[in-house]
Amino acid sequence: MTTTTISHTVYQQRRIRVAQWLKAHGGGIAVLPTAPEASRNRDNDYSYRPDSYFYYLSGFTEPGAWLIIDDTGHSTLFCRAKNPDQEVWTGYRLGPDAAPEALAVDTAYPVEELDQQIPQLLANQPAVWFPFATHTGLEAQITNWLKDVRALVRTGVSCPQAQYDLCAVLDEMRLIKDAHEIELMRRAGEISALGHMRAMQKCAQMMRAGEDVREYHLEAELLHEFCRHGAQDVAFNSIVAGGANACILHYRAGKAAIHSGDLVLIDAGGEYGCYAGDISRTFPANGRFSGPQRTLYDLVQAAQEAAIAVTAPGATFNDPHDTALRTLSQGMLDLGLLKKDTYGSVDDVIEQRAYFRFYMHRTSHWLGMDVHDCGSYVEPETEPTAHHDAKTGKTTHIRPSRILRPGMALTMEPGIYVQAADDIPAEFHNIGIRIEDDALVTENGCELLTRKAPVKADEIEALMR
């Protein structure tokens, strides 16, 4: 990856917000490394992707970098020095001389000077802030630097007396997307939708031509379309599951054959500008839903539409899930997946978690730079209340669900997964369905960022024709 060409004012403004937070909470200095390079196998690294927190505050994509922000707003970058001999092999480096102008940071040093400079930056600071439990060895490195500072106390230097988790600051910032982030997420959603559409069409074309269709064939179509439209990578490993494989939630695309009459479940998204798209679509391999497939598909779509309808400012994060769950549970009773004489009403199904056999995941998660993005799912600074789980018999104490606000982004992904069993109507055996879109909470409701890819069964069939 290369450094983005956009104005770095947006990153500078974010750093100022961090400095203001530090100032308002007793002062101090924030220390933030980027992600390390990772070896894939001998003499070969995985494709590099910067740490999300680091990139959010810097817009810098090179490995081996550190960012320091103090409570005055002064920012210092440590990055790899220019090295023409190495750059011939591994690519261009920005270097510390060019970094201040290019990245709008105040000061930059070669990363080789990190151990020399950091203790000086920590000296006389009341506290040090860094992301807890995110970088292996970071806590020990901070401790060693503090030892160097403490060794200077006889000269009148004071050592930071407290350590705080920087994630607590950045998670709240990243939870509400700014205009720049929303622009990137719209593009990531559009690219992801184009990939799903290509996979649907290619599957039907290969089926009509009598060709062998494998899950990895469709994964290749996704990757082709993502990259063709500017995605830097996939946002996560693509799920491409044909037939009964769709009942495995995190199934990886493999070499399994896809047969006419199968449903294909794809959960995949491209990453654009370090922001994730995340779409699930389920479609008939041959382009036509069977009766039982259509029945279950329409149920899941109804659950998704119900969830979308309640996603608005003032609702809670749990509201889309609770609404989708009620729709799905009623459908399970109506279709005989759950016996009414055993479970009774939809309220009984939910209370006893009888639905869990067919729907075992949540309807939403936060979305942003990470496909399962950061941010608390409960309302901060609220008192926990007791909650009894009828399935486990345990009582837990939880805080109220997070209140949705404009700028939050979350997925809408209900599903149903019916494995073969003697007590299940045979026509529903081995059908797995998930429908997922990315929703941005707006002033009046929510905007779906991924609806370029069709959702309604009739529209999917039309596209595949």
Side-chain angles (χ1 to χ4, degrees):
M1 298 175 65
T2 58
T3 303
T4 56
T5 57
I6 67 157
S7 168
H8 276 74
T9 302
V10 64
Y11 303 106
Q12 186 179 40
Q13 291 172 343
R14 292 171 187 167
R15 294 194 294 269
I16 291 171
R17 288 178 61 193
V18 170
Q20 291 171 340
W21 175 283
L22 299 181
K23 193 77 170 178
H25 291 78
I29 189 167
V31 179
L32 183 64
T34 193
E37 293 179 287
S39 175
R40 184 180 186 275
N41 52 27
R42 183 169 181 171
D43 201 27
N44 182 29
D45 289 340
Y46 284 102
S47 296
Y48 183 72
R49 202 269 195 188
D51 173 80
S52 293
Y53 290 121
F54 178 89
Y55 184 82
Y56 180 76
L57 294 176
S58 69
F60 190 52
T61 60
E62 291 185 23
W66 292 70
L67 181 65
I68 316 299
I69 305 169
D70 68 27
D71 58 22
T72 69
H74 190 280
S75 57
T76 303
L77 181 80
F78 292 86
C79 63
R80 298 178 305 178
K82 296 291 288 182
N83 186 325
D85 292 338
Q86 282 295 314
E87 289 177 54
V88 168
W89 291 93
T90 59
Y92 170 82
R93 295 180 180 183
L94 180 63
D97 290 340
E101 181 177 357
L103 302 175
V105 295
D106 297 298
T107 311
Y109 296 102
V111 72
E112 290 78 11
E113 296 184 18
L114 190 69
D115 289 337
Q116 172 189 342
Q117 296 289 344
I118 289 285
Q120 298 180 39
L121 295 173
L122 290 172
N124 300 315
Q125 293 288 346
V128 57
W129 300 67
F130 60 94
F132 288 3
T134 56
H135 297 270
T136 301
L138 177 58
E139 290 84 354
Q141 200 160 9
I142 295 287
T143 297
N144 286 334
W145 289 329
L146 291 176
K147 287 179 180 178
D148 292 340
V149 178
R150 195 172 295 281
L152 301 174
V153 295
R154 291 184 180 179
T155 67
V157 170
S158 65
C159 186
Q161 297 297 300
Q163 300 180 23
Y164 297 111
D165 187 6
L166 188 61
C167 294
V169 183
L170 297 180
D171 287 356
E172 285 297 301
M173 288 178 60
R174 286 174 54 187
L175 189 56
I176 306 294
K177 273 57 182 178
D178 59 34
H180 173 63
E181 292 179 284
I182 290 170
E183 179 184 352
L184 294 174
M185 291 187 69
R186 285 193 178 116
R187 183 58 179 155
E190 181 182 22
I191 290 171
S192 301
L194 291 169
H196 280 260
M197 293 166 68
R198 180 185 180 97
M200 291 179 192
Q201 292 178 310
K202 189 64 175 180
C203 185
Q205 291 170 4
M206 294 175 72
M207 283 283 172
R208 286 195 291 270
E211 299 177 23
D212 180 43
V213 184
R214 302 278 170 169
E215 291 165 345
Y216 60 74
H217 289 144
L218 302 186
E219 182 183 29
E221 299 297 330
L222 292 166
L223 295 174
H224 177 276
E225 199 70 4
F226 292 165
C227 294
R228 192 166 78 90
H229 292 285
Q232 290 88 6
D233 206 336
V234 293
F236 54 98
N237 292 322
S238 300
I239 296 168
V240 182
N245 291 336
C247 294
I248 304 171
L249 297 184
H250 286 171
Y251 179 87
R252 289 285 302 277
K255 63 181 180 180
I258 295 173
H259 305 286
S260 181
D262 283 348
L263 285 183
V264 180
L265 189 160
I266 294 181
D267 188 342
E271 183 176 271
Y272 182 80
C274 283
Y275 284 80
D278 186 9
I279 305 179
S280 295
R281 291 292 185 268
T282 307
F283 58 89
N286 60 15
R288 292 296 300 272
F289 287 95
S290 71
Q293 290 171 349
R294 177 67 180 262
T295 296
L296 289 181
Y297 187 90
D298 287 347
L299 171 60
V300 176
Q301 191 205 340
Q304 192 202 36
E305 293 298 334
I308 292 167
V310 300
T311 301
T316 72
F317 177 83
N318 281 342
D319 286 343
H321 175 71
D322 293 341
T323 304
L325 180 59
R326 178 164 290 273
T327 301
L328 290 170
S329 296
Q330 185 63 61
M332 293 172 194
L333 289 170
D334 294 342
L335 297 175
L337 295 175
L338 296 175
K339 306 303 181 185
K340 291 183 179 180
D341 57 359
T342 301
Y343 295 104
S345 70
V346 66
D347 291 324
D348 295 324
V349 168
I350 293 172
E351 174 65 24
Q352 299 174 49
R353 296 183 70 196
Y355 62 83
F356 196 80
R357 179 179 178 185
F358 307 107
Y359 182 47
M360 59 292 292
H361 61 80
R362 301 284 295 181
T363 302
S364 302
H365 57 75
W366 299 133
L367 182 71
M369 298 187 74
D370 301 312
V371 69
H372 287 184
D373 208 34
C374 62
S376 174
Y377 287 98
V378 297
E379 195 65 14
E381 299 180 3
T382 55
E383 292 298 321
T385 56
H387 173 75
H388 180 72
D389 190 320
K391 187 176 180 67
T392 64
K394 295 181 179 179
T395 298
T396 56
H397 291 80
I398 59 175
R399 297 203 305 274
S401 177
R402 192 75 190 237
I403 295 173
L404 298 181
R405 294 174 174 82
M408 292 180 174
L410 63 162
T411 59
M412 300 283 146
E413 52 175 314
I416 196 164
Y417 313 92
V418 186
Q419 297 184 3
D422 292 340
D423 61 337
I424 300 300
E427 63 266 27
F428 297 135
H429 284 186
N430 296 321
I431 294 179
I433 297 169
R434 183 161 62 252
I435 305 172
E436 177 182 18
D437 283 290
D438 303 341
L440 172 71
V441 181
T442 62
E443 294 292 340
N444 301 313
C446 69
E447 173 190 350
L448 300 180
L449 307 180
T450 46
R451 274 296 174 91
K452 190 178 185 71
V455 170
K456 294 180 179 178
D458 290 341
E459 293 175 352
I460 289 175
E461 291 182 345
L463 176 70
M464 296 182 73
R465 283 195 295 271

